[in-house]
Amino acid sequence: MREDFLHYVWQHQYFDKADLRTAGGEEIQVLKPGHRNADAGPDFLNARLRLGDVEWNGAVEIHLKASDWQRHNHQVDAKYDQVVLHVVHTHDAEVARTNGSRIPVLALGLRLGPELLARYQALADAPAAAPLPCAPLLGQVPEITKIMMAERALLERVEAKADAVAALHERLGHDWEATAYHALMAAFGFQKNSEPLARLAKAVPLAVLRRHRHDQRQVEALLFGQAGFLVENDETAADAYIQDLRREHEFLRHKYDLGAPALAVHEWNYLRLRPANFPPVRLGQLAGLLHARPALFDALLTAQSVAALAEFFRAPAPAYWRAHFRPGRPGKVPDLGKSSIDLLITNVVVPLRVAYARSVDQPALVESSVALFTELPAEHNQFTDVYGALGFGHRTAADSQGLLALHKSYCAPRRCLHCAIGSRLVQGPQLRVSR
C-alpha cells in the first residue's frame, strides 16, 4: 500500500465511521476533511474535526505508520505544530509537536472495506512495464469518464506550458515580442537541439537582431556566427559565402560587443537526426523567418486559423541554406514540413497565446487558442498508439495532447488515485461506507 491511497481514502472519507475514535479512545466527528496541500507541510489544511466535546480547526497529516512522524522529523518541524489529527494505517507510536504536546491518532487499518482494498490492489499490482495499470479494467469505466479525464489532462498540459511561457515573459522584463522570439528559437530545436538554440537566443539579443532584420545576410551572420558554425575548416575553406558571413559576423560582433560565439560546433546534436533536421538547416529556416516576419508576437497572436499560422511559418530560408545541409556541404534541403509546423503551433503558439490571454484576462482567447488543436491532425507515437488501441478517442491533436498528458502526469508515475479513471475503478460501482 502506498501513502497516496490513504490520502485518497481520507479526502473522500471512504472508511467505516461507526464509533469513530482516536487510538486513545476519544470520539471523532469529521466535519470537513480539509483540502490537499500542494506545498511543504501537512498533507491536508483547514480541516474541521470534533474531538470529544471540542471542535478543532487545523491540519491533518497522513502516514502509513504512526512512527513515520519521527522518521520524517516532524517532531522538530514547526510547520507540523498545526496538525490536530494524525491519520495512519497502523498505530505503532505516539507522536508529538515541537512543544511536546501529544497529537491524537486515527488508525484506519481495520476501517477499510475489503472490496475497496481489492480494487486498489488490482491497480497497485500492475506490472511496472505495463503502460496503463488500469488497462485490463478499462471496460468497467464509462466512456464519458475517459473522455473527461483526457480533456482535463489536455488542459493541465496547456496550463503547464503556459506557466513556463509566463515565467520566461517575466525573466525577459515583460516583453511579449522577446518572449515569442526566445520561445520560437528553443522550439526550432525540436527537443534534440532546444537547449543550444535557447542559449543562442540569449547570445543574439532581440534588440540587436531588430536593427538588422531588414538585411537577411546580416541576420544569417549574427545567428550562424554566434552559433559557432562559421569557423574555417576543410569544408568551408573555399566557400566564399561562408567567408563573407564570417567577415560580417566579426564586424557585428565587435560593433555590439557580443563576445565570442556562444556555442562550439560540437555542442550541437546530430545523432539520429535526418539531414533535414540538422541544426544548420533549422537555423537557416529561423533566419528566413526572422527576416520575413518582423513582428513575431503580433502575428502569432492574431492568426485566426491553423492555415494562417502555417503560412506564417512558411517563410523561405536563405538560398544558401536551401542548398546546404551544413556549411560547405551542398545538398537539396526541403522546406519546413507540415509536421514541424504542427509541432510549433502545439508547443509555441498555443502556450504563448494562453499565457498572454491569462495575463490580460481574456478567457475567450484561451478557449480559441486551445481550439486550434482540433484543426491539427492527431500525433501518432509509441504512447498515443497504446491509448488508441485501448479505445481512447484519437482523432485530432487535442486528443493526442490529452493522451500524452495522461501518460506523463498520471499513468507513467502511477498516480492512479489522482486520475478520474483510476478513482472510478477504486470506488467501484456501489461503494458504501458507514457515515
Side-chain angles (χ1 to χ4, degrees), residues 295-306:
L296 297 174
F297 178 68
D298 184 64
L300 296 176
L301 181 66
T302 57
Q304 296 298 309
S305 65
V306 163

Side-chain angles (χ1 to χ4, degrees), residues 14 16 52 60 72 127 137 141 149 215 257 302 317 333 339-340 342 350 358 360 386 412 418 420-421:
Y14 290 155
D16 184 359
V60 173
H72 296 163
L137 309 170
V141 180
M149 186 60 211
D215 189 323
D257 195 22
T302 57
V333 179
S339 61
S340 296
D342 291 347
V350 173
R358 294 190 317 191
V360 294
V386 168
H418 298 266
I421 296 169

Side-chain angles (χ1 to χ4, degrees), residues 184-185 188 213 216 219 223 282-296 300 309-318 336 344:
L184 273 176
M185 287 284 283
F188 258 82
R213 272 181 168 168
Q216 190 173 72
V219 172
L223 293 177
R282 295 305 188 194
L283 201 53
Q285 292 165 347
L286 267 169
L289 182 68
L290 293 170
H291 167 65
R293 311 288 189 247
L296 297 174
L300 296 176
L309 288 165
E311 184 61 30
F312 168 87
F313 284 114
R314 288 196 189 102
L336 186 67
L344 291 169

Side-chain angles (χ1 to χ4, degrees), residues 1-2 117-130 132-134 136-137 414 416:
M1 180 184 295
R2 289 177 16 167
L117 283 169
R119 287 191 290 267
Y120 165 72
Q121 210 60 47
L123 288 177
D125 290 344
L132 274 75
C134 63
L137 309 170
R414 296 298 196 259
C416 303

Side-chain angles (χ1 to χ4, degrees), residues 315-333:
Y320 182 91
W321 302 109
R322 296 200 300 272
H324 290 79
F325 287 108
R326 297 169 70 157
R329 184 177 295 184
K332 183 173 174 55
V333 179

Side-chain angles (χ1 to χ4, degrees), residues 38-232:
D39 300 314
D43 295 315
F44 286 81
L45 303 177
N46 300 319
R48 286 180 57 224
L49 311 168
R50 187 179 298 279
L51 301 178
D53 296 328
V54 180
E55 184 175 316
W56 294 82
N57 291 272
V60 173
E61 177 67 3
I62 296 178
H63 290 120
L64 290 178
K65 296 181 178 180
S67 57
D68 290 339
W69 181 275
Q70 282 88 359
R71 191 164 64 86
H72 296 163
N73 291 319
H74 295 336
Q75 73 277 11
V76 294
D77 189 339
K79 288 194 294 292
Y80 292 85
D81 286 348
Q82 60 183 306
V83 172
V84 296
L85 184 66
H86 190 204
V87 177
V88 301
H89 181 269
T90 304
H91 178 227
D92 62 346
E94 299 296 334
V95 301
R97 303 179 181 87
T98 58
N99 63 3
S101 59
R102 290 286 180 89
I103 298 176
V105 177
L106 171 62
L108 295 181
L110 298 178
R111 294 181 173 275
L112 302 176
E115 292 183 0
L116 178 69
L117 283 169
R119 287 191 290 267
Y120 165 72
Q121 210 60 47
L123 288 177
D125 290 344
L132 274 75
C134 63
L137 309 170
L138 274 174
Q140 304 173 29
V141 180
E143 188 66 21
I144 188 65
T145 302
K146 294 189 289 186
I147 293 171
M148 289 176 63
M149 186 60 211
E151 290 179 351
R152 173 182 137 193
L154 164 66
L155 294 177
E156 289 174 352
R157 184 177 176 90
V158 171
E159 287 291 330
K161 289 184 177 183
D163 287 344
V165 171
L168 176 64
H169 177 246
E170 185 172 357
R171 291 197 301 272
L172 294 171
H174 303 280
D175 183 335
W176 283 111
E177 182 69 12
T179 303
Y181 167 64
H182 281 257
L184 273 176
M185 287 284 283
F188 258 82
F190 296 98
Q191 291 191 336
K192 285 274 190 178
N193 286 289
S194 292
E195 190 273 336
L197 274 166
R199 288 168 55 193
L200 181 60
K202 295 179 182 178
V204 184
L206 182 60
V208 172
L209 203 59
R210 275 173 167 160
R211 297 184 182 183
H212 300 276
R213 272 181 168 168
H214 64 284
D215 189 323
Q216 190 173 72
R217 173 172 154 274
Q218 291 181 327
V219 172
E220 290 176 73
L222 284 166
L223 293 177
F224 281 90
Q226 289 302 100
F229 284 127
L230 300 182
V231 295
E232 185 171 348

Side-chain angles (χ1 to χ4, degrees), residues 21 156 184 202 210 337 346 366 399 401 410:
R21 294 180 180 274
E156 289 174 352
L184 273 176
K202 295 179 182 178
R210 275 173 167 160
T346 296
V366 172
D399 301 318
Q401 289 296 300
Y410 295 94

